[in-house]
């Protein structure tokens, strides 16, 4: 039993360390000088990521055991020896693969660019590589190069095409990064691996498949900044127009990629991308049925665009070459929404009105697009802080003009006759541009209204004092199923207070709910919440410990009902009542109309 427990502990630590390594190796920085061919990427807004390899054949199971999370990491999770993993290739025969069907799905979904795994961490080339025998052409009964057909099929439909390539992690190779169950880490020669496999294969991809719009790198390592620069320069010499993702490393990417499943809480300058799986895994897992609906995809796409970035949504085809049923269904439904509402997504910039209880905004010169996820109960939509002159307001679908009123710097739009779309109803405010888009103001008070079931006041809008700070926390559910939360942390004394400015549009009673994470050691500490001249006391409740390789559980803790007698600007202040441990990790304050 003792041996079993030691072995189990070693496996758990190994899994946790592997996940931590993934997070630490994400490079979210890019070069300061903008790439000359970056504009198409800024305009695209919606890309399709495809993870497809030998792991797709295994479908999340190995020797009768089901694995969860990142299916493309099954070789690592199960510690499958290289020789055994090579045998999987003999069973991999994706005879259902149809390049035109995949490309047509992308077109129908409104996708503007596609990136597919040419080689993932398993080391298996999904194309005809002369550098290695571990390829779909040489090692599998399929004997064909699917990448040639897919590159041609996407270009026929004016969809830009690119490859994912794992440049450092390669579990199949003696000198590749990552595999320490087959090979001695102390004897690895990473330079030799780059010279013999990674660089030659990257050059094959850049010389044999026509123009590549993107080379999407992943998990950099083993190279200095100078060596990475040399690699980037040699590859750009082959295709100068190709954009390299930030995970090429050392801050040398052409655009930023955030962490897996991460969206910044406020608009970010420059070109960037947010990548999400359609379910919980990147590679195909037969028992993973947790797919995002079309409504969830549409709202995610609008949210990412409202921050000024692109969404690249991943699908994982199975070992026969079939894209999962729900991926096809919900992508097609998303495409139908984009046929009507694409103007509010493609070629837009970040919206200049911060997120509201009703939704988010995107912009074009002279136009502000209102993405309304939640309709106001009284049919009157408040757009606060709008200082420009308004020419007209209309629904994007059908172009029906709507009546509106100006009240100082507010617009109140009458939506009483408007029909709500299932996920996102888009309205357009055309305004006098003066050749300058209004600036986004993060300090503008957060709107609170009785017209919505809940009003979220997120941590990013906090003003901190003392040692309190706002930071992004990264954690995971299943293996590699990353989550991110922006929280107020380090509140340990009465000096470490935090304030939020809110604008109450409708007076009335509001239930105040705090959403936070709190470990056992921080539970049962007293704190004060102040609003409208009144103090409310509460004690923290245990939720969960914070560990990046495990779920971070947030509790929604109702602490008071506050009566707000007049519309106006108010300040919410939260502070610990004594010196102690960190009070909690505060994610959101929710104000819910008490009805």
């Amino acid at each position: 039993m003792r041996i079993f427990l030691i072995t189990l502990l070693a496996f758990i630590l190994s899994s946790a360390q592997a996940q931590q390594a993934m997070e630490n190796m994400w490079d979210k920085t890019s070069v300061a000088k903008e790439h000359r061919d970056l504009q198409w990427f800024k305009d695209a807004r919606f890309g399709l990521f495809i993870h497809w390899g030998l792991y797709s054949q295994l479908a999340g199971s190995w020797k009768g055991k089901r694995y969860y999370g990142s299916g493309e990491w099954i070789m690592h999770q199960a510690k499958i020896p290289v020789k055994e993993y090579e045998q999987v290739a003999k069973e991999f025969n994706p005879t259902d693969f149809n390049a035109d069907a995949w490309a047509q799905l992308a077109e129908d979904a409104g996708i503007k660019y596609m990136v597919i795994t040419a080689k993932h961490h398993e080391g298996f080339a999904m194309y005809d590589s002369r550098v290695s025998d571990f390829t779909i052409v040489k090692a599998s009964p399929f004997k064909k190069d699917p990448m040639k057909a897919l590159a041609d099929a996407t270009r026929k439909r004016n969809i830009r095409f690119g490859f994912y390539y794992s440049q450092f992690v390669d579990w199949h190779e003696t000198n590749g990064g990552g595999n320490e169950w087959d090979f001695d880490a102390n004897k690895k020669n990473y330079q030799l691996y780059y010279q013999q496999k990674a660089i030659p294969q990257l050059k094959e991809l850049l010389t044999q498949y026509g123009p590549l719009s993107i080379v999407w790198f992943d998990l950099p390592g083993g190279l200095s900044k100078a060596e990475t620069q040399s690699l980037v320069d040699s590859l750009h010499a082959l295709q100068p127009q190709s954009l390299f993702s930030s995970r090429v490393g050392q801050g040398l990417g052409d655009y930023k990629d955030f962490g897996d499943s991460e969206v910044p809480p406020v608009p970010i300058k420059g070109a960037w991308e947010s990548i999400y799986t359609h379910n919980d895994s990147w590679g195909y897992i037969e028992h993973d049925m947790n797919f995002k609906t079309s409504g969830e995809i549409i709202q995610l796409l609008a949210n990412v665009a409202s921050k000024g970035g692109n969404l690249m949504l991943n699908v994982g085809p199975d070992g026969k070459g079939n894209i999962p049923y729900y991926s096809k269904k919900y992508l097609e439904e998303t495409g139908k929404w984009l046929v009507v509402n694409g103007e509010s997504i493609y070629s837009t910039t970040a919206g200049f009105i911060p997120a509201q209880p009703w939704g988010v905004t995107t912009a074009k010169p002279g136009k502000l697009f209102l993405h309304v996820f939640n309709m106001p109960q009284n049919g009157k939509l408040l757009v606060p802080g709008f200082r420009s002159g308004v020419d007209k307001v209309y629904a994007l679908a059908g172009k029906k003009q709507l009546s509106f009123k100006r009240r100082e710097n507010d617009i109140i739009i009458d939506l009483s006759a408007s029909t709500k779309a299932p996920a996102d109803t888009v309205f357009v405010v055309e305004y006098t541009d003066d050749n300058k888009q209004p600036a986004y103001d993060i300090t503008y008070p957060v709107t609170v209204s009785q017209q919505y079931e809940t009003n979220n006041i997120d941590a990013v809008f906090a003003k901190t004092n003392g040692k309190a700070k706002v930071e992004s926390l990264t954690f995971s559910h299943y293996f590699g199923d990353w989550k991110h939360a922006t929280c107020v942390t380090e509140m340990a004394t009465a000096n470490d207070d935090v304030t939020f400015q809110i604008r109450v549009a409708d007076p009335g009673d509001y239930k105040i709910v705090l959403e936070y994470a709190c470990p056992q050691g921080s539970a049962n500490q007293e704190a004060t919440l102040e609003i409208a001249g009144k103090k409310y006391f509460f004690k923290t409740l245990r939720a969960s410990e914070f560990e990046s390789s495990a779920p971070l559980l947030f509790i929604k803790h109702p602490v008071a009902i506050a009566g707000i007698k007049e519309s106006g600007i108010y300040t919410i202040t939260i502070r610990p009542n004594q010196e102690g441990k960190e009070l909690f990790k505060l994610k959101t304050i929710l104000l819910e109309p008490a009805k």
Side-chain angles (χ1 to χ4, degrees):
M1 175 62 76
R2 183 173 180 272
I3 293 174
F4 169 76
L5 289 173
I6 291 173
T7 303
L8 178 61
L9 179 60
F11 173 77
I12 292 170
L13 288 173
S14 174
S15 297
Q17 289 164 356
Q19 292 198 92
Q20 188 66 52
M22 275 191 272
E23 179 193 351
N24 291 341
M25 291 169 76
W26 293 332
D27 193 325
K28 305 177 187 179
T29 56
S30 58
V31 293
K33 185 178 179 181
E34 185 169 296
H35 191 288
R36 68 184 189 189
D37 292 308
L38 197 59
Q39 191 59 48
W40 76 260
F41 182 84
K42 291 180 177 180
D43 292 340
R45 288 293 175 254
F46 196 19
L48 184 66
F49 214 173
I50 301 177
H51 276 63
W52 195 37
L54 289 187
Y55 44 84
S56 309
Q57 178 67 28
L58 294 179
S61 296
W62 177 253
K63 293 187 176 179
K65 180 180 178 180
R66 285 186 290 274
Y67 289 83
Y68 291 81
S70 293
E72 71 285 0
W73 277 71
I74 191 169
M75 183 180 178
H76 187 284
Q77 280 192 276
K79 298 295 183 285
I80 305 172
V82 166
K83 293 302 179 185
E84 289 187 46
Y85 200 78
E86 286 176 342
Q87 302 308 306
V88 179
K90 296 179 180 179
E91 304 169 5
F92 184 47
N93 191 18
T95 53
D96 291 345
F97 168 72
N98 185 319
D100 280 308
W102 286 19
Q104 189 59 51
L105 173 63
E107 183 179 29
D108 292 344
I111 295 294
K112 298 302 181 183
Y113 63 100
M114 178 189 292
V115 175
I116 186 168
T117 48
K119 178 185 79 74
H120 206 272
H121 308 326
E122 64 182 0
F124 186 73
M126 289 293 291
Y127 72 99
D128 187 13
S129 173
R130 298 184 183 92
V131 176
S132 170
D133 289 335
F134 195 45
T135 75
I136 190 170
V137 176
K138 297 174 185 174
S140 85
F142 191 61
K143 301 298 181 189
K144 293 189 287 288
D145 185 342
M147 299 299 130
K148 287 276 190 188
L150 194 58
D152 292 341
T154 51
R155 292 188 187 109
K156 281 184 206 172
R157 294 164 174 83
N158 294 316
I159 296 170
R160 289 180 178 265
F161 185 72
F163 286 121
Y164 165 110
Y165 188 88
S166 174
Q167 74 269 34
F168 173 62
V169 177
D170 190 319
W171 302 319
H172 183 260
E173 302 301 323
T174 304
N175 292 309
N179 185 345
E180 298 178 8
W181 59 94
D182 278 310
F183 311 118
D184 186 342
N186 296 318
K187 296 180 180 178
K188 287 179 178 288
N189 185 335
Y190 297 129
Q191 293 289 332
L192 194 62
Y193 163 72
Y194 274 103
Q195 293 165 12
Q196 293 182 345
K197 186 174 183 181
I199 294 175
Q201 284 194 334
L202 282 163
K203 288 183 176 180
E204 286 178 333
L205 294 171
L206 284 159
T207 55
Q208 297 175 18
Y209 294 87
L212 297 183
S213 294
I214 288 177
V215 179
W216 211 97
F217 295 89
D218 198 14
L219 300 189
L223 295 178
S224 67
K225 184 165 186 176
E227 289 165 338
T228 305
Q229 184 69 67
S230 178
L231 171 65
V232 167
D233 291 344
S234 67
L235 298 179
H236 263 150
L238 299 174
Q239 292 208 29
Q241 86 291 343
S242 186
L243 304 179
F244 294 173
S245 72
S246 60
R247 294 192 192 180
V248 72
Q250 305 288 353
L252 296 175
D254 295 312
Y255 63 90
K256 299 175 186 177
D257 263 297
F258 280 85
D260 296 358
S261 308
E262 181 179 17
V263 182
V266 293
I268 299 294
K269 290 183 179 179
W272 61 270
E273 182 179 61
S274 181
I275 59 171
Y276 269 78
T277 59
H278 190 201
N279 47 4
D280 291 328
S281 175
W282 302 90
Y284 177 72
I285 290 183
E286 186 177 18
H287 46 274
D288 181 358
M289 296 299 292
N290 187 28
F291 292 94
K292 295 172 182 65
T293 65
S294 55
E296 291 172 313
I297 295 171
I298 290 164
Q299 290 191 3
L300 177 60
L301 177 60
N303 184 36
V304 172
S306 78
K307 309 297 193 301
N310 291 1
L311 171 65
M312 186 160 68
L313 185 71
N314 179 80
V315 298
D318 64 20
K320 285 295 183 184
N322 298 298
I323 292 175
Y325 167 79
Y326 284 112
S327 290
K328 289 191 289 186
K329 173 182 170 69
Y330 294 137
L331 278 170
E332 287 169 350
E333 290 177 2
T334 300
K336 291 175 182 177
W337 181 87
L338 282 166
V339 167
V340 177
N341 299 284
E343 184 189 351
S344 69
I345 298 293
Y346 304 126
S347 302
T348 59
T349 58
F352 50 84
I353 302 295
Q356 297 294 310
W358 45 259
V360 297
T361 63
T362 56
K364 284 181 177 177
K367 292 183 180 181
L368 181 70
F369 299 96
L370 315 178
H371 294 264
V372 179
F373 304 157
N374 309 301
M375 288 289 223
Q377 293 176 5
N378 64 356
K380 308 296 182 186
L381 190 81
L382 169 65
V383 183
F386 198 101
R387 296 175 176 85
S388 300
V390 178
D391 297 328
K392 60 181 177 179
V393 180
Y394 56 92
L396 185 54
K399 303 295 189 292
K400 180 182 178 181
Q401 288 204 34
L402 303 172
S403 61
F404 65 92
K405 295 179 181 178
R406 290 300 308 249
R407 187 180 299 162
E408 296 182 351
N409 289 329
D410 296 339
I411 309 171
I412 297 93
I413 304 170
D414 185 358
L415 302 182
S416 56
S418 298
T419 303
K420 184 184 183 304
D424 179 1
T425 312
V426 183
F427 301 96
V428 186
V429 179
E430 290 196 5
Y431 64 94
T432 304
D433 189 0
D434 294 332
N435 296 317
K436 187 176 181 181
Q437 181 173 298
Y440 179 95
D441 185 2
I442 194 173
T443 65
Y444 198 86
V446 180
T447 304
V448 172
S449 170
Q450 290 276 326
Q451 305 309 317
Y452 305 94
E453 290 184 5
T454 188
N455 300 271
N456 289 357
I457 307 165
D458 294 326
V460 71
F461 298 110
K463 179 182 178 183
T464 59
N465 295 299
K467 293 182 178 179
K469 63 181 181 179
V470 176
E471 62 178 323
S472 178
L473 305 178
T474 298
F475 52 98
S476 67
H477 286 184
Y478 294 132
F479 180 94
D481 179 20
W482 294 103
K483 310 294 178 186
H484 309 269
T486 300
C487 296
V488 178
T489 63
E490 305 298 331
M491 297 173 65
T493 74
N495 293 323
D496 306 327
D497 65 41
V498 58
T499 61
F500 298 84
Q501 267 212 323
I502 63 171
R503 177 190 171 181
V504 178
D506 306 305
D509 292 338
Y510 290 88
K511 177 170 282 190
I512 303 175
V513 181
L514 304 182
E515 185 176 10
Y516 59 81
C518 180
Q520 180 63 54
S522 294
N524 207 35
Q525 296 186 96
E526 189 180 59
T528 303
L529 184 149
E530 245 180 281
I531 184 174
K534 291 187 178 181
K535 293 184 178 181
Y536 303 92
F537 301 96
F538 66 94
K539 279 191 171 183
T540 54
L541 304 176
R542 178 182 182 274
S544 79
E545 310 291 325
F546 172 53
E547 182 183 339
S548 64
S549 60
L552 180 60
L553 305 181
F554 292 90
I555 188 172
K556 289 186 177 180
H557 180 184
V559 297
I561 286 186
I564 307 296
K565 295 181 179 179
E566 296 179 357
S567 301
I569 306 297
Y570 293 85
T571 299
I572 299 175
T573 303
I574 300 174
R575 63 169 54 90
N577 279 0
Q578 69 282 307
E579 290 192 15
K581 297 183 178 180
E582 178 186 61
L583 187 66
F584 49 27
K585 299 183 188 300
L586 178 65
K587 180 182 176 186
T588 309
I589 302 173
L590 299 94
L591 266 63
E592 302 171 348
K595 296 179 179 179

